[in-house]
Amino acid sequence: MTRPYILYGLPHSLYTGPARAYLRKSGVAFVERSAREPEFRQQVMPAIGRSIIPVLVTPEGQIVQDSVDIIDHVEAAGTALSAYPDRPRQLFLAHLFQLFGSQGLLRAAMHYRWSYYDVQGAFLDHAFGVSGADDDPSRGAMRKMQSYLPGLGVRPDTIPLIEQGYHGLLAALEAHLSVHPYLLGGRPSLGDYGLFGPLFAHLGRDPVPSGIMKRQAPSVFRWIERLHAPDLDIPDMPAADGWLAGDAVPETLEALVVEMGAEMGAELADKLAWLEDHYQRLAPADGEPVSAKPHQRTLGVTPSRYRGVPDEVGVQPYLLYMVQRTETALGALAGADRTWADAMLARSGLGALGQPRQARVDRRNHIEVWARP
């Protein structure tokens, strides 16, 4: 009997969510285990050099870390329901939405989880397994998560704008998902899984933001249910069948890209510029780790603007890894398709995508490293 895949994660983990949903949809046999189990600390952590989730252990014993890499690993092995659209415009959009879910929604997700701890603390304590003791390591992990808020640009003067952005995003998603079961038609794409991470684990699960979602965007909450199901789960939209025909991109999706630009466009440009300058000054060798320690995710901070307000945000090299994936799909567009994409990015404030730069990041041995041509 073939051994199943093992997915190590946690129910409330933003990055475990996409991997779990994808594995369910892909049809591969897997079991999920908590990252709190001894096997994770004794066998997995020494192999990857840090405590981080999700981690997939294959039937052959291979270890794959990171939800994006997990999806690509299973795709390469063959799956009954690929997450990669087979037409160029839709493939580009799938990567763009995956980028946004992975990076652009972190501010809102972390704000709603930690800024409202006073009214949803019991729920979060349960999720993190807090025992009540003052020296409980789980509470220490929660305090560490809360400490990330300033680096994500969550401050008293930005909080009203963050919440305005969340309402705007829900409205745009509701307009699209009230007509289509998934972003690109009748099956989930990379973009669905990318957005699912923050929209499920934080914004669709924690009491405060999930209440807003259920009241204002019921189709978005229904989409979350669909992605968690092992099948397509579209009895309420039975006419949906596969990818949207003819590489179509509905206006509702372009409106969603506009919301993305408003949320992350300015800081995307500033972070990419900071990374390029850092790379030029550092002149690293190919394969050199981007940070001094595997668990160090942020290299520095850069001035920026968030919805018109001066801001200062941390710069994570993983952003560049995700941008490169999106730009590869953008670079595959030609003729009218490329003209369409460039115009959409420009009017959405996402024109930093596709601009020339020398800095490149790869993932090798479960960490980000500099990659030279």
Side-chain angles (χ1 to χ4, degrees):
M1 182 177 179
T2 303
R3 295 170 56 191
Y5 288 86
I6 299 173
L7 177 68
Y8 285 99
L10 290 169
H12 59 282
S13 160
L14 187 154
Y15 292 109
T16 302
R20 179 193 305 113
Y22 172 80
L23 290 172
R24 286 178 176 174
K25 287 284 191 289
S26 71
V28 303
F30 81 101
V31 294
E32 184 171 351
R33 294 181 182 170
S34 172
R36 298 174 181 138
E37 291 191 8
E39 291 82 358
F40 182 78
R41 296 191 300 271
Q42 296 167 5
Q43 300 174 17
V44 177
M45 284 178 55
I48 62 177
R50 55 178 168 169
S51 177
I52 189 171
I53 52 175
V55 174
L56 185 73
V57 181
T58 73
E60 299 76 28
Q62 182 179 355
I63 291 176
V64 186
Q65 193 281 308
D66 185 72
S67 58
V68 171
D69 292 352
I70 288 170
I71 291 174
D72 281 357
H73 177 87
V74 177
E75 287 276 333
T79 173
L81 193 68
S82 174
Y84 281 77
D86 53 12
R87 300 298 297 274
R89 290 192 184 194
Q90 292 178 356
L91 180 60
F92 165 64
L93 281 177
H95 279 286
L96 186 63
F97 293 133
Q98 186 183 43
L99 167 66
F100 183 52
S102 169
Q103 302 296 302
L105 284 179
L106 290 178
R107 186 194 311 253
M110 293 291 280
H111 157 62
Y112 274 106
R113 171 157 289 181
W114 299 115
S115 298
Y116 286 98
Y117 180 80
D118 58 335
V119 296
Q120 57 188 19
F123 182 85
L124 294 176
D125 286 353
H126 177 271
F128 279 81
V130 172
S131 66
D134 291 340
D135 60 350
D136 187 336
S138 296
R139 191 166 295 284
M142 294 172 73
R143 285 194 290 267
K144 182 178 180 181
M145 293 290 182
Q146 289 172 303
S147 73
Y148 294 154
L149 292 184
L152 291 169
V154 180
R155 306 185 312 270
D157 59 333
T158 61
I159 284 176
L161 298 173
I162 295 170
E163 299 193 350
Q164 172 190 324
Y166 178 54
H167 287 264
L169 174 67
L170 287 180
L173 278 169
E174 180 70 14
H176 181 75
L177 294 173
S178 64
V179 180
H180 305 282
Y182 298 101
L183 290 175
L184 296 170
R187 59 189 291 180
S189 70
L190 292 172
D192 291 276
Y193 295 120
L195 290 178
F196 180 76
L199 284 170
F200 161 69
H202 290 226
L203 301 169
R205 192 172 185 273
D206 294 353
V208 172
S210 68
I212 297 171
M213 180 186 293
K214 291 174 183 177
R215 289 191 300 271
Q216 299 185 13
S219 298
V220 181
F221 188 78
R222 178 71 184 97
W223 167 83
I224 287 174
E225 291 181 327
R226 285 195 187 98
L227 277 165
H228 246 154
D231 58 4
L232 290 176
D233 191 18
I234 54 174
D236 44 345
M237 292 186 177
D241 183 22
W243 307 118
L244 292 170
D247 206 15
V249 178
E251 291 183 4
T252 48
L253 276 187
E254 295 203 22
L256 182 56
V257 175
V258 171
E259 288 296 324
M260 292 170 50
E263 181 68 19
M264 70 176 296
E267 73 171 37
L268 176 67
D270 292 330
K271 287 180 177 181
L272 290 176
W274 190 97
L275 284 165
E276 178 69 11
D277 181 68
H278 179 75
Y279 177 85
Q280 295 290 346
R281 288 185 286 104
L282 189 64
D286 180 70
E288 183 177 331
V290 298
S291 55
K293 300 178 181 178
H295 64 270
Q296 181 184 339
R297 304 279 286 179
T298 301
L299 293 181
V301 296
T302 182
S304 188
R305 298 186 71 82
Y306 175 68
R307 297 183 181 271
V309 172
D311 200 7
E312 188 174 69
V313 290
V315 182
Q316 296 181 333
Y318 185 79
L319 167 71
L320 185 52
Y321 177 68
M322 295 301 297
V323 164
Q324 289 164 185
R325 291 170 54 86
T326 306
E327 290 180 335
T328 297
L330 177 63
L333 299 176
D337 291 336
R338 182 59 188 259
T339 300
W340 160 81
D342 287 339
M344 180 178 63
L345 293 174
R347 66 175 176 267
S348 302
L350 293 167
L353 292 172
Q355 297 301 311
R357 70 182 72 87
Q358 294 185 34
R360 291 193 61 81
V361 166
D362 196 3
R363 280 181 53 80
R364 305 174 193 172
N365 297 321
H366 319 295
I367 63 171
E368 287 79 53
V369 299
W370 296 113
R372 300 190 71 88

